[in-house]
Amino acid sequence: MLKPVTTDIESLKILDDRLRWLSAWTIHHANHIRTSADGLKVGGHQASCASMTSIMAALYFHALGPNDRVAVKPHAGPVLHAIHYLLGTQSREALENFRGFGGAQSYPSRTKDRIPVDFSTGSVGLGVAITAFSSLIQDYLTAHGMMDEAHRGRFVALVGDAELDEGNIYEALIEGAKHDVRNLWWIVDYNRQSLDATSADRMFERFDEIFRSCGWRVVELRYGKRLKAALDANPALLSWFEALSNAELSVLHYQGGEALRKRIAADLGKSAAAFLKTHDDPALAGLFSDLGGHCMESLVEAFDAAQDDVPTLFIAWTIKGYGLPFAGHKDNHAGLMNPTQMSAWREAMGVGEGREWEPLESVGDNARTGVEALIDKSRIAREKRQRAFGQIDIPALPVPSGEEQSTQAAFGRILLEIAKAGGSLADRIVTTSPDVTVSTNLGAWVNQRGLFRREALEDIFAKQKIASAQKWSAGNTGQHIELGIAENNLFLMLAAAGLAGDMFGTRLAPVGTLYDPFIARGLDALNYACYQDARFLLVSTPSGITLGPEGGAHQSINPPLIALGQPGLRHYEPAFADELTAMMGLAFRLIDDPHGESTYLRLSTRNIRQVEREEDSWREGALKGGYWLRAPAPRSEAAIVAMGAVMPEALAAWEELRDDIPGLGLLLVTSPDLLHRGWTAAQAARWNGRREPSHVEQLLSPLGRNAGLVTIADAAPASLSWIGGVLGQRVAPLGVERFGQTGSLPDLYAAYRLDGNAITEAVAELLLPA
Ligand SMILES: Cc1ncc(C[n+]2csc(CCOP(=O)(O)OP(=O)(O)O)c2C)c(N)n1
Ligand SMILES: [Mg+2]
């Protein structure tokens, strides 16, 4: 083989140019060349891509190892596609269809893109933070002997500087520091521009302090080698440069060499005369564009120097739109080169007309061998990793005994029994909670299985023999990861643990608990977890105004509606402990099934009398979303439709009304979410010629066509009221629509119309002749 004529650095610079070209061209093609079916702007972010191509070239063609995983800044998605195009793992067809149906996705997507995407990104901040949790999960797996040490990797986040305003990053930073997180690189594309404007100067150097105080190494790449040498030789110029505000510097990048000359001459006068004499305008523009994040030597050196496992923040100074006509312009975030600009830039980049998609177009013969060698040597995964499923044996789970039980207490007891029994499921469960472990009944599980910490941590209270129901010693065999109160972190942890099968080849069964109202606090992170098809069980308790004395701030109202609209998450709200057992068994199976999903169990602290079962047919209905707790007579004119903790009221009302309304039914709903999904899926199937009625249609069909339904739930009434639309039956919806408050259950249920009287009145009204 011929020895490459170019050095690796030169080849990396060529790859940088190639990535800048291909990403910009992909976006240009989608906007200006592909025919538009709807006249809508397709969009894309040429400036955000150009800002990062040097960093990404240095990473993907030099620094990354085979086990490293990267969360790519969402707006640099086209650069990732261009990298895989050079590797031969992305097709031209997918790039030509960028942002089109079935084409390369606008923002990297684990599930939708055909190239391997380690983390989906899009909602800024979340992709950064999840890398910390994935690193913790890697530590967890290796500590538990579930992953080979040799397969450990580093977790890299490519971060936009404005992304650093997202609070969830700091929540993750703090949690990571508590857990002594390692093997993390967060690389900031410090172009000092956001979407709207240039970033606030006052944050300069603050980020360094914040990260350093959390134990991170901070590496600032402000200057490229050439610029550094020029400034070192000219202290006045250095001070001048460092005094420029973000906006001033951006303006100069945009205006170019002539403006730089004028400004330097005006500000520095004679002291800069010699310097200006030796630099013409293009040389000036080139020199001042040599920021650290565009200097291949500096990037490679910095990455090579950070080979230990200390978490590291790289602040790489860059220019948004580097090399493009709108470089540095504050409005360039969604800016697109017009066809004239593109054509001029094509020529400047040495790309022949009609040869725009040639991967190594413009790479001269001398350089080609070296460039190809680097592409071949790139150690990143080229294929999507196999998703691991079917790894956990799920035994029959026990039904806790007791005439009266709450679903929350039953949850704790079921987990305890799993812990005591041991086995495959018990070993794969990892629990986590944001400081509500004890109050959501995870305590008994933790006593059995311990807290996870890489370094052992003694329970000082236990050592001093101070009585406590909780044993909180921690070590690297523990199976509970305790989090501080940050619900974003809970969902990011569930996302990371729920992707263990995809990322590390070992499926975990993550169980996270929190109070139901605080789902809202972490909602975007929950959506993010589901978007990536992470698999977990979310247990949300207590819920509703049934929480009584805790009052309105803790009484959740709308989570069932959230669940109704959340893809990838199945909501169950059991009334009885045996239903809960069945649901937990299924939830674990769904975690470990390629066609499964995550489960959200909305539980309650209310002790309710358990029902006697004569046979087992309820179970199938309970898992499908509902069953008749009291069967209606054929063509019955009314039914009560109830969910969850208010079941005693529904049963009492049914007892009271059954004589007056013979054939009155009581439908117990366990999942409005599943019933609704089944209904719409059956409709869609009918359009395709299949005529299978959905579960909810089957449930409601024995009732009379004009039957009245009283729906009741300790939640927003819209959770159930839609049921009337299934067969066109009339509905009187009961539920909670105002904020809750403190009170006893009889007081609250009366005030919010969740009691037997409300049901009786509603049934009576429905049955009155119109
Ligand atoms: C949570 C969230 N809020 C808002 C947006 C819209 N948005 C996309 S990019 C962006 C600015 C990004 O600036 P920066 O992180 O500095 O990236 P770059 O300058 O490299 O494009 C905003 C506000 C988003 N994607 N996610
Ligand atoms: Mg920016």
Side-chain angles (χ1 to χ4, degrees):
M1 204 177 103
L2 277 175
K3 209 169 170 300
V5 188
T6 41
T7 65
D8 278 1
I9 293 290
E10 285 170 70
S11 300
L12 286 171
K13 287 183 188 170
I14 292 170
L15 286 165
D16 171 8
D17 276 352
R18 290 279 72 222
L19 296 181
R20 200 147 13 95
W21 165 260
L22 285 168
S23 54
W25 175 252
T26 302
I27 296 166
H28 182 78
H29 181 276
N31 284 275
H32 292 289
I33 297 177
R34 195 167 74 214
T35 42
S36 163
D38 52 18
L40 293 181
K41 176 181 171 180
V42 178
H45 302 85
Q46 290 172 330
S48 303
C49 289
S51 189
M52 284 227 92
T53 51
S54 333
I55 296 170
M56 289 176 75
L59 270 180
Y60 283 82
F61 297 108
H62 174 77
L64 290 180
N67 300 319
D68 296 346
R69 316 288 202 283
V70 189
V72 176
K73 179 186 83 166
H75 302 77
V79 183
L80 184 64
H81 290 291
I83 288 168
H84 280 279
Y85 187 58
L86 293 180
L87 291 169
T89 40
Q90 178 57 294
S91 69
R92 173 169 163 181
E93 190 191 0
L95 295 190
E96 285 180 338
N97 199 12
F98 172 61
R99 291 187 166 228
F101 190 65
Q105 299 296 295
S106 39
Y107 309 114
S109 163
R110 280 186 66 81
T111 55
K112 300 285 188 303
D113 274 315
R114 53 184 280 171
I115 57 169
V117 169
D118 299 324
F119 297 97
S120 300
T121 53
S123 178
V124 299
L126 297 175
V128 182
I130 192 176
T131 56
F133 295 98
S134 288
S135 183
L136 283 173
I137 290 297
Q138 174 172 270
D139 282 341
Y140 181 94
L141 290 172
T142 44
H144 286 79
M146 293 180 189
M147 183 183 155
D148 200 330
E149 287 278 343
H151 296 152
R152 296 173 67 86
R154 177 177 288 130
F155 294 82
V156 181
L158 302 179
V159 191
D161 58 319
E163 202 167 358
L164 286 173
D165 285 336
E166 284 289 1
N168 82 277
I169 290 185
Y170 303 95
E171 294 178 355
L173 184 67
I174 292 168
E175 196 60 56
K178 290 191 217 163
H179 290 270
D180 196 13
V181 72
R182 48 189 181 152
N183 294 309
L184 266 187
W185 281 4
W186 287 358
I187 305 171
V188 182
D189 173 1
Y190 195 63
N191 59 28
R192 304 163 314 286
Q193 272 185 249
S194 60
L195 187 156
D196 282 334
T198 44
S199 350
D201 296 288
R202 289 180 63 96
M203 279 315 290
F204 179 64
E205 288 183 352
R206 293 290 171 274
F207 294 123
D208 316 25
E209 291 165 15
I210 294 170
F211 278 77
R212 282 207 179 94
S213 69
C214 287
W216 285 53
R217 169 171 55 210
V218 178
V219 177
E220 193 182 358
L221 298 169
R222 184 163 182 177
Y223 302 111
K225 301 274 178 195
R226 279 194 308 133
L227 182 57
K228 178 89 173 61
L231 296 180
D232 281 351
N234 197 332
L237 200 60
L238 175 66
S239 316
W240 170 82
F241 185 85
E242 296 202 333
L244 291 173
S245 69
N246 287 342
E248 284 173 315
L249 182 56
S250 291
V251 163
L252 290 171
H253 284 316
Y254 177 67
Q255 291 178 325
E258 196 184 329
L260 273 162
R261 176 178 307 282
K262 277 195 193 139
R263 177 73 196 264
I264 293 171
D267 288 355
L268 296 181
K270 278 200 193 115
S271 65
F275 168 78
L276 289 177
K277 226 179 194 163
T278 51
H279 292 79
D280 63 10
D281 287 352
L284 274 184
L287 183 65
F288 282 97
S289 299
D290 185 35
L291 301 182
H294 298 303
C295 172
M296 205 50 81
E297 290 89 338
S298 305
L299 286 164
V300 164
E301 246 175 54
F303 293 153
D304 287 353
Q307 291 305 318
D308 53 16
D309 65 5
V310 177
T312 303
L313 180 78
F314 297 92
I315 302 181
W317 281 57
T318 55
I319 300 169
K320 190 156 172 171
Y322 178 81
L324 309 185
F326 40 58
H329 195 295
K330 71 180 177 62
D331 302 336
N332 67 10
H333 182 75
L336 297 173
M337 283 182 270
N338 64 32
T340 314
Q341 290 172 318
M342 191 67 192
S343 161
W345 189 58
R346 177 177 57 67
E347 288 193 5
M349 295 295 281
V351 174
E353 194 168 5
R355 301 183 52 80
E356 293 88 350
W357 290 115
E358 282 303 309
L360 295 186
E361 174 68 359
S362 80
V363 182
D365 288 344
N366 281 351
R368 197 168 273 257
T369 322
V371 170
E372 281 173 349
L374 277 197
I375 293 174
D376 281 352
K377 274 198 315 200
S378 167
R379 293 181 298 159
I380 67 159
R382 297 178 187 227
E383 299 297 327
K384 281 191 164 217
R385 284 171 229 270
Q386 281 285 319
R387 307 187 67 195
F389 288 108
Q391 297 187 332
I392 309 177
D393 294 328
I394 294 152
L397 302 184
V399 177
S401 57
E403 274 181 26
E404 287 208 347
Q405 296 190 56
S406 74
T407 48
Q408 175 175 318
F411 160 70
R413 292 172 67 192
I414 295 167
L415 262 192
L416 172 63
E417 292 308 320
I418 296 174
K420 288 205 290 205
S424 165
L425 174 63
D427 292 343
R428 293 293 180 101
I429 288 177
V430 51
T431 56
T432 182
S433 184
D435 202 23
V436 288
T437 297
V438 175
S439 50
T440 55
N441 280 49
L442 269 181
W445 159 269
V446 178
N447 284 346
Q448 288 289 321
R449 292 273 161 167
L451 276 114
F452 173 68
R453 285 268 163 189
R454 275 198 292 127
E455 308 295 335
L457 202 70
E458 235 179 341
D459 182 340
I460 307 288
F461 276 77
K463 197 175 167 203
Q464 294 297 328
K465 303 209 164 36
I466 298 172
S468 162
Q470 311 300 329
K471 292 184 226 141
W472 279 66
S473 59
N476 67 4
T477 57
Q479 286 180 249
H480 173 75
I481 305 181
E482 179 73 2
L483 300 171
I485 328 167
E487 288 70 20
N488 273 306
N489 284 342
L490 171 74
F491 291 117
L492 290 170
M493 178 60 91
L494 288 175
L499 288 173
D502 306 31
M503 215 163 274
F504 307 106
T506 303
R507 182 71 42 198
L508 290 174
V511 179
T513 67
L514 87 169
Y515 296 174
D516 199 48
F518 305 134
I519 283 184
R521 178 67 84 98
L523 202 48
D524 197 24
L526 169 62
N527 179 60
Y528 180 62
C530 294
Y531 181 65
Q532 305 194 75
D533 200 19
R535 301 291 180 77
F536 52 86
L537 168 59
L538 173 65
V539 177
S540 193
T541 184
S543 61
I545 62 167
T546 302
L547 187 52
E550 282 287 316
H554 280 55
Q555 294 167 342
S556 66
I557 297 171
N558 65 4
L561 292 181
I562 292 172
L564 206 49
Q566 178 62 57
L569 188 69
R570 163 185 301 226
H571 165 212
Y572 282 125
E573 188 151 343
F576 304 114
D578 53 2
E579 295 169 353
L580 173 66
T581 298
M583 290 164 188
M584 285 176 68
L586 180 57
F588 290 128
R589 286 197 293 281
L590 290 170
I591 284 174
D592 199 26
D593 179 336
H595 306 294
E597 61 182 330
S598 292
T599 301
Y600 152 51
L601 291 172
R602 186 172 188 253
L603 307 185
S604 160
T605 39
R606 185 181 188 195
N607 266 322
I608 68 175
R609 177 164 294 282
Q610 305 295 296
V611 276
E612 308 232 330
R613 308 284 192 190
E614 273 149 26
E615 36 83 40
D616 253 3
S617 63
W618 61 270
R619 182 174 287 111
E620 192 189 339
L623 295 180
K624 284 180 168 174
Y627 63 94
W628 286 105
L629 189 59
R630 297 288 180 261
R635 285 177 300 287
S636 166
E637 56 184 335
I640 300 168
V641 179
M643 176 165 79
V646 292
M647 210 52 67
E649 281 62 36
L651 271 165
W654 181 85
E655 289 286 349
E656 195 182 310
L657 292 168
R658 60 193 283 203
D659 291 337
D660 293 337
I661 311 170
L664 176 72
L666 170 52
L667 180 62
L668 183 153
V669 172
T670 53
S671 175
D673 176 29
L674 282 188
L675 292 183
H676 198 282
R677 280 198 230 174
W679 176 39
T680 51
Q683 278 180 333
R686 277 201 281 280
W687 298 324
N688 293 323
R690 290 197 304 279
R691 302 206 151 266
E692 180 83 7
S694 64
H695 185 55
V696 67
E697 287 165 304
Q698 286 176 19
L699 285 171
L700 296 175
S701 60
L703 302 176
R705 272 284 156 175
N706 294 322
L709 309 175
V710 173
T711 62
I712 179 165
D714 184 357
S719 315
L720 292 177
S721 61
W722 60 269
I723 278 182
V726 175
L727 298 182
Q729 289 152 336
R730 288 165 307 134
V731 170
L734 300 177
V736 182
E737 274 176 313
R738 290 171 286 132
F739 285 116
Q741 57 188 299
T742 54
S744 68
L745 282 195
D747 289 343
L748 289 171
Y749 281 5
Y752 288 80
R753 291 182 51 75
L754 290 181
D755 61 359
N757 280 343
I759 298 174
T760 313
E761 281 165 21
V763 172
E765 195 176 287
L766 278 174
L767 295 185
L768 283 178

